[in-house]
Amino acid sequence: MSVLVIGSSNTDLIVQLENLPSPGQTVMADAFSTLPGGKGANQAVAAARAGAFVTFIARIGSDAFGLRAMRCLETEGIDTTFVLRDPDLASGIASILVDRRGENVIAVIPGANAALSPVQVDAAATLFERVSICLLQLETPLPTVLHATGLAKEHGVPVILNPAPGRKLPPRLLSDLFILTPNETETEILTGILPDSEKTARQAADILMDLGVKNVVITLGARGALLASARETVMVPAPTVDARDTTGAGDAFNGALAAALGQARSLADAVAFANCAGALAVTRVGAQSALPRETQIRALMDQRPH
């Protein structure tokens, strides 16, 4: 079971406070922390902790943030051979405000992530000959995402795309995907439909499948996820937990989904496994620091009603 993750690496600057400020408002915070993050790195760590062997393609700066990010990845047993340290650009930064209810707002300065190029992916092209699945996001340039998806298609490697941050996507990318995993906001951007009920989620999934996506998994927070495929459309519920910070939930979900599919689980079972990973992640503060391990995910899976 080998998962290739291509994407961003950031350092998260996290501010915890009572309520998120309104525009122009100054509020006093409760705490501040500096933690490794970035959707690509988070999902690479999530997949590794969920039981996969992970190789990560990324671009970081030759600064203290980049060095720390690299050490964190290596500590997780992730293959960082193709993580390039840019001599000119700073590592990516994400400024995150988190309130007492676990809701957040995030601003990202991409830095070296914006220079992750098709040429850098080509330098790792042999990886596509031996990986089980490829996981991508949208915090790196879209031409690089398109190029990586094309390489994966040439080698018969299924691609999961987490379309975050949300944006419109070209039809040729959508048709090359094995799974698309938008959340509610991203689903509305892609389809014009806010999936605020099972009915609207199904309508949105139908639109995405009509655009060529083979399988759609719309993540719906505490409600779980809607799985739509040629065989079935079904709601997969999430376990009930006390949320502290939703920052890493989507990354936990996507990394665990990739790991589960790498183990040849069924789509529905993989989504249930990913739901449990996402649920565990929101019970802790931070992104990578909150990502659960395979034994914890399996334990929560076993507690589900059958």
Side-chain angles (χ1 to χ4, degrees):
M1 168 186 41
S2 180
V3 174
L4 173 61
V5 181
I6 304 172
S8 59
S9 173
N10 291 325
T11 296
D12 292 343
L13 308 179
I14 302 172
V15 178
Q16 294 172 253
L17 33 70
E18 179 73 28
N19 296 299
L20 298 176
S22 302
Q25 180 186 17
T26 299
V27 297
M28 300 300 289
D30 299 325
F32 172 77
S33 55
T34 302
L35 297 170
K39 292 187 184 299
N42 292 346
Q43 292 177 22
V45 172
R49 291 189 183 177
F53 176 78
V54 177
T55 299
F56 187 36
I57 299 176
R59 197 177 189 101
I60 59 177
S62 296
D63 49 25
F65 286 145
L67 178 61
R68 182 179 179 186
M70 186 74 85
R71 287 175 176 168
C72 290
L73 293 166
E74 291 171 347
T75 297
E76 299 291 342
I78 293 168
D79 180 359
T80 60
T81 303
F82 298 99
V83 177
L84 190 150
R85 300 194 68 182
D86 194 298
D88 302 314
L89 296 173
S91 297
I93 297 292
S95 179
I96 303 172
L97 304 184
V98 183
D99 71 15
R100 291 284 180 86
R101 294 177 298 279
E103 295 302 316
N104 64 71
V105 292
I106 304 173
V108 176
I109 304 168
N113 293 307
L116 180 61
S117 67
V119 172
Q120 188 178 337
V121 174
D122 281 338
T126 56
L127 291 173
F128 291 91
E129 299 172 2
R130 57 181 187 270
V131 297
S132 303
I133 200 151
C134 179
L135 175 58
L136 296 153
Q137 322 78 32
L138 297 176
E139 283 188 339
T140 52
L142 185 59
T144 304
V145 173
L146 285 162
H147 187 73
T149 303
L151 273 178
K153 182 179 181 181
E154 287 176 21
H155 290 86
V157 177
V159 173
I160 301 173
L161 176 64
N162 176 218
R167 58 174 294 174
K168 291 288 188 180
L169 296 172
R172 67 187 179 98
L173 173 59
L174 294 172
S175 63
D176 284 347
L177 300 177
F178 178 60
I179 301 178
L180 183 72
T181 61
N183 64 16
E184 292 162 280
T185 300
E186 294 146 11
T187 298
E188 186 175 21
I189 290 170
L190 289 166
T191 67
I193 295 175
L194 177 65
D196 53 1
S197 67
E198 182 174 346
K199 179 181 178 180
T200 53
R202 285 173 178 265
Q203 291 171 345
D206 286 343
I207 290 172
L208 291 168
M209 292 183 71
D210 287 343
L211 291 171
V213 182
K214 296 174 184 64
N215 303 285
V216 177
V217 178
I218 300 176
T219 58
L220 301 168
R223 290 179 288 160
L226 180 89
L227 165 63
S229 68
R231 295 181 56 188
E232 61 182 346
T233 299
V234 60
M235 277 293 300
V236 184
T240 302
V241 297
D242 293 323
R244 292 184 62 203
D245 178 9
T246 60
T247 303
D251 297 330
F253 181 96
N254 281 278
L257 179 67
L261 291 172
Q263 295 173 338
R265 289 174 179 260
S266 70
L267 270 176
D269 193 43
V271 172
F273 183 82
N275 272 343
C276 289
L280 287 167
V282 303
T283 64
R284 307 167 188 169
V285 174
Q288 288 181 30
S289 58
L291 298 170
R293 299 193 179 275
E294 183 179 14
T295 53
Q296 298 167 318
I297 302 169
R298 290 187 182 279
L300 188 56
M301 285 275 287
D302 292 341
Q303 294 174 20
R304 295 176 305 150
H306 295 285

